[in-house]
Amino acid sequence: MPGMPATPSPTRFAYLGPEGTFTEAALSRAITAPEGRRDPHPSVASALAAVRSGDADAAVVPLENSVEGSVPATMDGLVDGAPLVITREVFLEVAFVLAVRPGTTLADITSVASHPHALAQTAMRLAALLPGVDPLPATSTAAAAAAVAAGEVDAAVCAGIAATRYGLQSLADDVADHAGAVTRFVLVSRPAPLPARTGNDKTSLVAVVADRTGALLELLEEFAVRDISLTRIESRPTRQRLGVYSFSLDCEGHVADPRVGAALAALHRICDDVRFLGSYPRADGRQNRPVRPDSSDEAFAEAEGWLARVRAGDA
């Protein structure tokens, strides 16, 4: 934010491993090739814990998929524990192969494993290719590939790079049920000066609303009255009791924008809890929606100036 000191660039990166995951590919897009140390972790929780403990400066984790929706481990991991903020997002088209040890045929396969999101995205193709074989969950697509290489399972649904890295061969390419699926990954770090405003930013947060009639409407109105567009909203249980939910959302704009800042301040007032998850450049190839003239930051500033003059007796 303006006037705040510059923050050193991250040099130690954690990511959902092992080597060969889509998350590693997203990390390669998020940072320049020779930059920093990259450490694979067995789970999203472990990667985020490395950042919180100071063992890593930043972590790349999957947040949502265009077919299967949000990744619960990441959603919950950003809410629980010490605060973390998103500083960048990366969108990666994901393509899956059915990988096996060399010499294995479809008839030889009695077990297949992958990350639950990958299994959900390939369920119909797997049922056609491997009828009667029940898929097994793994912590990541690359972990499934490693399990195949170790002889623990017969086949894995994974990225082509993982098949190559673990010495496997592909029996079937492009096994996704819906072509062109995209996963959104985020780079997160401990709280620090935020990325500068670009004019085409997103802001992410989680708000816990009270268990009362109209609570969600009150939350949404704070964005609507300021002409702020929401790009994502979903509910998650708070695990306290039934009827108490948190709402994870992304909106257009940067917290340094007066309208967005005012909306977040209002949520802090009306919600039971608000966790700010970051403001960062938008990376999905879209432009933020034009704002109505009467809802621009300039219009809000002019209105505040008018109110100040009224209060001072100068209107």
Side-chain angles (χ1 to χ4, degrees), residues 269-288:
R269 175 176 52 84
I270 67 173
C271 294
D272 286 356
D273 189 31
V274 176
R275 174 166 286 202
F276 173 71
L277 294 181
S279 291
Y280 46 90
R282 188 167 187 168
D284 57 4
R286 300 180 181 180
Q287 292 295 312
N288 285 353

Side-chain angles (χ1 to χ4, degrees), residues 6-169:
T7 302
S9 298
T11 59
R12 300 169 301 160
F13 297 91
Y15 68 92
L16 175 62
E19 294 181 354
T21 58
F22 290 109
T23 310
E24 184 186 18
L27 174 58
S28 295
R29 288 196 181 184
I31 63 174
T32 56
E35 183 183 352
R37 190 188 79 201
R38 309 179 186 192
D39 295 325
H41 284 258
S43 66
V44 167
S46 175
L48 296 180
V51 180
R52 288 188 168 107
S53 69
D55 290 337
D57 300 314
V60 171
V61 290
L63 184 66
E64 62 175 325
N65 177 267
S66 60
V67 176
E68 286 302 302
S70 66
V71 179
T74 301
M75 300 297 297
D76 294 339
L78 291 176
V79 173
D80 298 333
L84 296 172
V85 293
I86 299 169
T87 61
R88 197 177 307 176
E89 64 178 5
V90 176
F91 289 82
L92 188 70
E93 187 168 335
V94 294
F96 301 105
V97 301
L98 182 65
V100 297
R101 292 182 295 278
T104 302
T105 67
L106 285 175
D108 297 327
I109 297 174
T110 60
S111 57
V112 58
S114 192
H115 187 275
H117 267 222
L119 293 176
Q121 293 177 64
T122 57
M124 291 186 291
R125 286 295 309 279
L126 288 181
L129 290 168
L130 304 170
V133 176
D134 293 328
L136 304 171
T139 55
S140 70
T141 55
V148 174
E152 298 168 2
V153 292
D154 297 326
V157 174
C158 62
I161 186 176
T164 300
R165 186 159 297 183
Y166 291 99
L168 308 179
Q169 67 181 38

